[in-house]
Amino acid sequence: MRVEKEVLRKQIERNLKVSFGKELEEAKDFEIYRALGQAVMENIADNWYDTGKLYEKQKQAFYLSAEFLMGRALGNNLINLGMLKEVQELFDELGIDYNKVEDAEEDSALGNGGLGRLAACFLDSLATLNLPGKGYGIRYRNGIFNQEFRDGYQIEKPETWLKYGDVWSVMRPDDEVIVTFGDGSVRAVPYDMPIIGYGTNNINTLRLWEAHSLVDLDLGKFNQQDYLHATQQKTLAEDISRVLYPNDSTDEGKKLRLKQQYFFVSASLQDIVKRYKKVHGNDFDKFAEFTAIQLNDTHPVIAIPELMRIFIDIEGISWEKAWSIVEKTFAYTNHTILAEALEKWWVGLYEQVVPRVYQITQGIDNQLRELLEQKFPGDKARQDRMRIINGNMIHMAWLAIYGSHKVNGVAALHTEILKNKELKDWYELYPEKFLNKTNGITQRRWLLQSNPQLASLITELIGDAWITDLSELKKLEAYLDDEKVLKRILDIKHEKKVELAEFLKRTQGIEINPDSIFDVQIKRLHEYKRQLLNIFQIIGLYNKLKLNPSMNFTPVTYIFGAKAAPGYFVAKGIIRLINEVAQMINKDPDVNSKLKVVFVENYRVSVAQKLFPAADISEQISTAGKEASGTGNMKFMLNGALTLGTMDGANVEIVEEAGKENNYIFGLTVKEVEEMRANGYDPHVPYNCVEGLKKIVDSLVDGTFSDLGNGVYGTIHRSLMENAPWHQADQYFVLEDYEAYRRTQQLINKEYTFRMDWARKQLKNIANAGKFSSDRTIKEYAEEIWNITPVKL
Ligand code: B1N
């Protein structure tokens, strides 16, 4: 988009005057950020409107998701509009520090982790590819909590991104709808965010719903001076979109969570049907020809009975016809096989919250039972396993598969596990429904924006086509033996490490050495992701360095970033342990020139953008079979970090593309994990046999470390060493994989010193990251699931 610098300056000055009553010279960074954001919104208004009109007559894909983890918008929007350079020049002329203005924006953090960030990357790709697609979700007033450390423990603070409103959202009062629950109705008010494609005029939309009360104030109660109850209804309604549930990969099962799900699903479907009728009238025969709805995990799956309700009760369509449209409309993505994540609702709760939808869900369950008796006559066990309503619980994944025409996993290995294990019964019933869609990330945010130095080098070498076609990176292989290029890759990595070191000094007062290896594990805290394995290896290293200070060793900085679900006791204990080990090591003059441990506080998208480019090693060490895909692994790869990982999730495909010899793969495979489980794994074997391991494990309970009396270290120790009714000892194979992990770390420590060989491995990874663009993923969804085609403004 071409906007003259002079015009932009005038817009900013005008907005500062209108919104804040200030001249440019008096304005604070935050106010300038707002004024610039407003100017962007003004400049895109026509294209945004025209894109909406253009899509009306097309088949559209609607991405229903309880989470969108967008991060900051300013830098990304300016880059995608092609305005960043002009803005930076203008700010230079005006003596404004652009970076400070960018930093004034709060992250939009309406998600927990990978699932929410994937949704955000998908929106970027849809817009960039000129695909008629739209996101629907919830406008949580409070996103994922802010994390602080006190005594090494995580403390949660409310996140308040909407404290001063949001410059990127536009309220659309005319599109308000009513959502009705068993105990009353609320207003759903939509806010639209523009999703600006890179190098195109198309501007897509993310529509987020806010819950409001039908009545603002009970005047009767107010007049009786009962002020608390006078606003009670308002508060109860607004509670629905108040806060994001902070669980990643666990089911909450709470009434408010079900209300949130039904709230945004019902509002979105009403919106979709209304728009369809505007163009096609009451002819619903073509509904599925013009509408594709993707269900992002089971969180929006109540959409299946809800669309049935709308068709039958409101549009007067027969059950049979309604069902055939529904099946053709929906598709479902599964993101995890963890048992604790599988959503099941208690029938009593579900019936109370959505009574009519419950009746329809019963109807769907009955219909499925008939089908199962037909397909598997007499196979009572199988029929029971597959029932949607079973033992007073409603199984949302089964509802999703039955009501969708396509079901996908998020990496090749994950999809195979779905077909052969977790969803085997369903795969046997509907083999044609299942397919894989390996996740991806947007190179616009994760390379072009986060690592402009590497982006420039790449563009200098192979041109800039990679920005919208990441497979172009393959051309970088021509430089594998070009020492000048390899040297520049090393220099850029060093520059990003210096930038990160400065950031950590400024924000946490910690000094780290950019010449040390930066070994980074950033992801939600979960036992299956095995941050514990990482810190155990560090403790072992510390013990060894203490005994042998002159040991040949390349200095390493271990960097962690992770939030724990507030109710996840063990995860919070692991955070405390990492912080305690960090403190012990960092203050020990015997080792702290060689070893450092940093736990980055309040890890989030904007901080991730500084961490990925600075990493030498990408820690992807989940127990094989547990991580559905991972997407951080792809961001590291694209920025030239080598993967230290297990054969899990998309790691498998990463090393398939870049070569095992250019990464560091270790540990049990899925098959080996299964065999060990079947043959009875006893963690006492590695505990007693692996050198140094007993001392590490015992340090949890022998007084070396202290959990300050809450008993969490004891709990962790028992979870490793003792069987319990609900899990096997060391169910994530931390002790079993320890030695292989330690050896691989040792190998890295040596190979890192061969700088040119290391740089070549980096380049191999970068050059083969093309597959992991979300552009590729979205093209596959568009062609194989949604059947939508690009239409350019
Ligand atoms: O989804 C990501 C994957 O890359 C990760 O491997 C996977 O763990 C993640 C309930 C989840 N699976 N399930 C969730 C999130 C919130 C919630 O309330 C489950 N997140 C994933 C993208 O495919």
Side-chain angles (χ1 to χ4, degrees):
M1 170 167 292
R2 281 234 44 86
V3 183
E4 297 297 326
K5 257 190 282 183
E6 236 351 76
V7 174
L8 194 61
R9 185 179 61 78
K10 288 213 176 92
Q11 286 179 317
I12 293 170
E13 283 173 348
R14 187 73 206 142
N15 293 338
L16 282 171
K17 191 63 77 54
V18 171
S19 298
F20 302 107
K22 285 194 178 174
E23 298 279 357
L24 186 58
E25 300 74 51
E26 313 165 81
K28 298 277 165 27
D29 291 333
F30 174 74
E31 294 162 336
I32 296 171
Y33 151 69
R34 273 304 173 83
L36 174 56
Q38 259 172 277
V40 170
M41 292 296 272
E42 284 163 35
N43 294 325
I44 64 169
D46 288 323
N47 282 347
W48 196 8
Y49 175 88
D50 292 342
T51 307
K53 285 280 163 219
L54 180 69
Y55 288 173
E56 266 178 13
K57 285 162 201 77
Q58 310 290 323
K59 178 165 190 181
Q60 296 188 63
F62 302 103
Y63 199 79
L64 266 57
S65 178
E67 303 189 8
F68 287 92
L69 190 44
M70 303 295 283
R72 288 178 179 156
L74 179 64
N76 183 252
N77 284 347
L78 292 177
I79 287 173
N80 283 12
L81 287 167
M83 282 173 62
L84 181 61
K85 252 190 80 189
E86 273 141 315
V87 169
Q88 280 172 336
E89 280 171 23
L90 175 67
F91 279 20
D92 281 349
E93 289 164 21
L94 297 170
I96 301 167
D97 183 341
Y98 171 77
N99 290 323
K100 287 213 172 115
V101 171
E102 224 181 34
D103 264 344
E105 179 175 4
E106 298 252 14
D107 282 36
S108 174
L110 310 185
N112 275 288
L115 171 141
R117 183 55 230 176
L118 183 73
C121 284
F122 280 3
L123 293 180
D124 181 82
S125 288
L126 278 163
T128 299
L129 294 169
N130 303 305
L131 284 165
K134 180 169 175 173
Y136 276 111
I138 301 173
R139 192 168 193 256
Y140 302 105
R141 168 162 285 280
N142 305 110
I144 188 71
F145 62 83
N146 285 319
Q147 177 192 57
E148 288 179 15
F149 294 140
R150 215 171 292 159
D151 300 325
Y153 275 112
Q154 167 180 296
I155 304 289
E156 300 91 25
K157 291 280 153 93
E159 183 283 329
T160 56
W161 73 298
L162 289 177
K163 191 164 51 176
Y164 303 116
D166 165 34
V167 70
W168 306 109
S169 299
V170 184
M171 198 212 305
R172 306 284 191 211
D174 188 41
D175 289 338
E176 171 177 318
V177 295
I178 303 294
V179 175
T180 299
F181 298 94
D183 62 358
S185 299
V186 300
R187 296 156 49 214
V189 179
Y191 284 76
D192 288 354
M193 282 188 181
I195 306 297
I196 300 170
Y198 178 90
T200 171
N201 290 324
N202 286 43
I203 296 179
N204 286 10
T205 299
L206 168 60
R207 172 159 283 194
L208 300 177
W209 300 95
E210 207 171 73
H212 288 275
S213 176
L214 295 175
V215 287
D216 213 45
L217 182 67
D218 185 332
L219 262 181
K221 294 213 167 89
F222 182 81
N223 291 335
Q224 293 159 24
Q225 297 182 37
D226 181 1
Y227 303 120
L228 190 67
H229 294 109
T231 53
Q232 192 180 36
Q233 209 184 324
K234 178 177 160 72
T235 306
L236 284 174
E238 290 172 4
D239 278 346
I240 293 173
S241 57
R242 176 106 41 212
V243 57
L244 168 78
Y245 275 94
N247 305 312
D248 188 86
S249 307
T250 42
D251 175 27
E252 183 62 52
K254 293 272 191 333
K255 180 172 174 180
L256 185 59
R257 169 82 170 175
L258 180 59
K259 282 198 146 182
Q260 288 187 339
Q261 296 183 350
Y262 183 67
F263 166 74
F264 95 90
V265 159
S266 178
S268 306
L269 290 177
Q270 290 183 55
D271 199 50
I272 291 166
V273 170
K274 196 194 294 175
R275 275 151 195 267
Y276 175 84
K277 286 170 75 171
K278 225 175 95 186
V279 179
H280 304 276
N282 281 338
D283 177 11
F284 283 96
D285 285 341
K286 285 185 294 190
F287 188 80
E289 270 169 57
F290 286 90
T291 317
I293 303 180
Q294 192 67 31
L295 302 168
N296 197 26
D297 214 281
T298 52
H299 320 143
V301 163
I302 203 165
I304 289 169
E306 172 65 3
L307 187 57
M308 288 293 283
R309 185 191 67 83
I310 292 171
F311 281 161
I312 295 166
D313 292 2
I314 299 172
E315 305 300 339
I317 299 172
S318 75
W319 176 283
E320 289 69 27
K321 189 170 158 192
W323 183 254
S324 87
I325 303 171
V326 160
E327 254 196 312
K328 280 182 268 181
T329 301
F330 289 107
Y332 157 64
T333 305
N334 175 289
H335 292 268
T336 178
I337 58 161
L338 296 188
E340 63 268 31
L342 281 189
E343 278 195 304
K344 295 187 190 100
W345 292 107
W346 179 52
V347 165
L349 177 76
Y350 191 94
E351 182 176 16
Q352 184 200 4
V353 173
V354 283
R356 178 61 185 142
V357 169
Y358 175 59
Q359 288 181 338
I360 291 169
T361 307
Q362 283 179 310
I364 297 172
D365 180 54
N366 285 333
Q367 183 182 280
L368 171 64
R369 274 166 60 195
E370 282 172 32
L371 176 82
L372 292 175
E373 180 53 36
Q374 247 178 55
K375 296 272 176 185
F376 310 107
D379 191 345
K380 183 81 175 53
R382 180 189 294 255
Q383 291 182 22
D384 278 352
R385 287 199 303 268
M386 298 178 76
R387 283 197 54 180
I388 292 169
I389 305 180
N390 200 346
N392 278 327
M393 297 302 277
I394 305 178
H395 206 307
M396 300 310 273
W398 297 176
L399 180 56
I401 301 168
Y402 185 43
S404 297
H405 68 288
K406 288 286 184 309
V407 176
N408 75 282
V410 289
L413 177 69
H414 170 61
T415 303
E416 285 311 303
I417 294 174
L418 290 179
K419 292 197 292 191
N420 303 325
K421 273 189 70 184
E422 305 300 317
L423 304 180
K424 188 165 190 285
D425 289 331
W426 290 95
Y427 179 58
E428 282 166 11
L429 178 61
Y430 294 123
E432 71 287 351
K433 283 194 187 185
F434 286 76
L435 73 182
N436 176 245
K437 290 285 153 277
T438 297
N439 283 166
I441 57 165
T442 169
Q443 66 267 34
R444 269 80 62 186
R445 180 176 295 262
W446 296 109
L447 180 53
L448 185 57
Q449 188 190 354
S450 309
N451 197 344
Q453 297 94 325
L454 183 57
S456 299
L457 172 62
I458 293 171
T459 297
E460 184 191 317
L461 297 173
I462 63 168
D464 67 0
W466 62 270
I467 298 171
T468 51
D469 177 5
L470 203 63
S471 67
E472 285 280 314
L473 291 182
K474 191 80 187 171
K475 293 183 179 159
L476 289 171
E477 291 210 330
Y479 300 93
L480 280 170
D481 293 314
D482 186 327
E483 295 229 341
K484 272 204 200 105
V485 168
L486 296 179
K487 178 78 179 35
R488 285 177 71 187
I489 288 174
L490 293 175
D491 288 345
I492 288 168
K493 183 59 80 181
H494 193 265
E495 195 180 333
K496 300 311 282 184
K497 288 164 78 171
V498 170
E499 286 178 21
L500 178 64
E502 282 164 2
F503 170 76
L504 292 174
K505 179 84 190 32
R506 187 153 41 88
T507 53
Q508 288 182 230
I510 299 174
E511 277 185 47
I512 57 175
N513 170 14
D515 293 318
S516 65
I517 302 172
F518 280 15
D519 178 307
V520 185
Q521 187 172 22
I522 42 177
K523 49 182 76 247
R524 284 299 287 255
L525 204 311
H526 201 294
E527 285 163 282
Y528 85 78
K529 296 178 189 279
R530 298 201 295 191
Q531 281 93 353
L532 194 58
L533 176 59
N534 190 341
I535 198 68
F536 274 5
Q537 193 276 144
I538 295 168
I539 296 171
L541 203 52
Y542 173 77
N543 292 341
K544 218 164 135 182
L545 278 169
K546 285 294 268 190
L547 285 176
N548 185 5
S550 59
M551 177 173 105
N552 199 354
F553 184 72
T554 316
V556 191
T557 304
Y558 288 98
I559 300 172
F560 292 85
K563 288 178 182 175
Y568 192 168
F569 184 60
V570 165
K572 288 181 141 182
I574 294 170
I575 289 182
R576 156 89 191 168
L577 179 65
I578 296 170
N579 275 322
E580 219 189 336
V581 172
Q583 208 186 31
M584 174 185 78
I585 290 176
N586 298 350
K587 71 166 193 233
D588 187 335
D590 292 350
V591 297
N592 67 10
S593 61
K594 294 179 185 140
L595 201 56
K596 275 258 159 83
V597 181
V598 183
F599 206 135
V600 181
E601 208 170 6
N602 202 29
Y603 174 58
R604 58 198 187 280
V605 172
S606 55
V607 175
Q609 291 181 222
K610 303 179 198 296
L611 286 162
F612 287 113
D616 295 306
I617 288 293
S618 156
E619 294 264 2
Q620 307 300 335
I621 59 177
S622 53
T623 313
K626 294 292 182 188
E627 189 72 88
S629 162
T631 43
N633 46 5
M634 302 166 185
K635 296 164 197 169
F636 279 115
M637 180 194 198
L638 186 58
N639 282 279
L642 311 190
T643 300
L644 165 53
T646 49
M647 286 299 257
D648 199 16
N651 299 352
V652 176
E653 290 159 81
I654 285 176
V655 297
E656 199 172 290
E657 296 294 307
K660 262 195 183 171
E661 67 285 4
N662 299 303
N663 289 287
Y664 295 92
I665 297 299
F666 74 98
L668 298 173
T669 61
V670 172
K671 195 164 155 263
E672 287 163 350
V673 163
E674 274 166 13
E675 281 166 6
M676 285 212 91
R677 251 193 216 113
N679 301 334
Y681 160 58
D682 181 2
H684 287 89
V685 176
Y687 173 82
N688 287 313
C689 303
V690 173
E691 193 192 323
L693 185 54
K694 185 171 182 305
K695 182 175 157 78
I696 295 165
V697 176
D698 289 352
S699 68
L700 283 169
V701 289
D702 68 4
T704 308
F705 301 115
S706 162
D707 59 21
L708 303 178
N710 72 3
V712 70
Y713 289 175
T715 304
I716 296 171
H717 189 267
R718 279 192 304 279
S719 83
L720 292 173
M721 303 308 300
E722 294 171 21
N723 288 316
W726 56 92
H727 70 75
Q728 298 276 296
D730 192 15
Q731 61 173 322
Y732 298 109
F733 298 88
V734 172
L735 304 195
E736 181 62 29
D737 267 345
Y738 174 83
E739 183 58 13
Y741 180 62
R742 188 196 63 77
R743 279 172 197 264
T744 312
Q745 282 277 5
Q746 201 171 39
L747 182 67
I748 288 169
N749 199 270
K750 193 174 94 207
E751 295 195 344
Y752 183 82
T753 58
F754 304 112
R755 301 307 289 143
M756 278 303 147
D757 293 336
W758 188 272
R760 199 171 293 112
K761 289 178 193 161
Q762 287 185 279
L763 186 54
K764 255 285 190 185
N765 274 278
I766 299 166
N768 290 287
K771 175 175 179 185
F772 304 105
S773 170
S774 48
D775 298 343
R776 187 269 311 150
T777 314
I778 280 297
K779 268 188 206 146
E780 289 181 13
Y781 276 91
E783 286 167 17
E784 297 165 40
I785 301 179
W786 302 332
N787 195 21
I788 57 171
T789 46
V791 41
K792 202 166 154 62
L793 193 65

